[in-house]
Amino acid sequence: MNATAPDLKAFLLATPFFGGLSDPGLDLLVSMLAERRFEPGATIVAEGEPGRSMFIVKSGRLAVSKRASSGRDVPISVLERGDFFGEMTLIEMQNRSANVVAEVPTVLYELTAQSLYTCYKADIHAYVIVLQNINRELCRRLRRSDERFAARLASDG
């Protein structure tokens, strides 16, 4: 992967995860990314497994689901270009909370917990911005979840 390509940097800056980073902070994080390619049907992460990395979607489409108490998989969301996932395990250091499966050929950028720690040691400002971006996105997801939950309650009552 050519980590300094202007198109890659422009793509990353347009994602919620990398927004607001300075050039040096972005260059540092870009140097830590590993490109991963997956075929349709490939499981990227499985609910309950240990997680030590997060992913940014470069291309493709992924289905996110959770296993219900009945044993069936319940669709949660679809991820596409610019979305990211797996960040919860980096923050709370718990096992994966959902299954993520590639629906079409997919290219992801992986950032490991170790790389994020290296970022913390090398550029605390970039690290803080990344954590703020993660927290902002988690808040957006929680709001959407609350809205879906309230809409479902309203339709049931």
Side-chain angles (χ1 to χ4, degrees):
M1 171 176 75
N2 182 359
T4 60
D7 55 336
L8 173 59
K9 287 175 72 171
F11 161 71
L12 293 173
L13 280 173
T15 68
F17 184 78
F18 289 95
L21 283 169
S22 66
D23 254 2
L26 181 61
D27 288 340
L28 173 65
L29 284 161
V30 165
S31 74
M32 298 174 175
L33 296 176
E35 188 177 279
R36 306 277 186 235
R37 295 177 176 272
F38 297 91
E39 294 301 317
T43 298
I44 315 307
V45 300
E47 184 175 355
E49 76 179 9
R52 301 291 176 256
S53 63
M54 62 163 294
F55 301 88
I56 299 99
V57 182
K58 178 183 179 190
S59 63
R61 189 176 65 244
L62 303 113
V64 182
S65 65
K66 285 191 67 65
R67 175 105 19 201
S69 58
S70 66
R72 81 177 173 92
D73 283 338
V74 177
I76 300 296
S77 67
V78 173
L79 302 171
E80 296 179 309
R81 180 177 172 84
D83 291 329
F84 63 88
F85 65 96
E87 73 289 341
M88 286 171 40
T89 193
L90 298 183
I91 293 172
E92 64 178 350
M93 293 184 269
Q94 298 290 319
N95 290 343
R96 300 286 186 188
S97 65
N99 299 302
V100 180
V101 176
E103 293 187 328
V104 299
T106 298
V107 179
L108 306 174
Y109 292 118
E110 182 177 23
L111 180 68
T112 66
Q114 183 61 45
S115 293
L116 196 55
Y117 180 72
T118 299
C119 175
Y120 163 75
K121 299 295 262 180
D123 187 342
I124 189 76
H125 183 71
Y127 177 79
V128 168
I129 288 175
V130 165
L131 287 186
Q132 285 177 321
N133 289 343
I134 288 172
N135 288 327
R136 200 172 288 117
E137 182 63 19
L138 289 173
C139 289
R140 284 186 200 114
R141 292 177 189 175
L142 181 58
R143 282 183 190 274
R144 284 193 305 265
S145 179
D146 287 348
E147 289 167 6
R148 285 195 308 261
F149 183 68
R152 182 166 182 167
L153 285 177
S155 69
D156 288 345

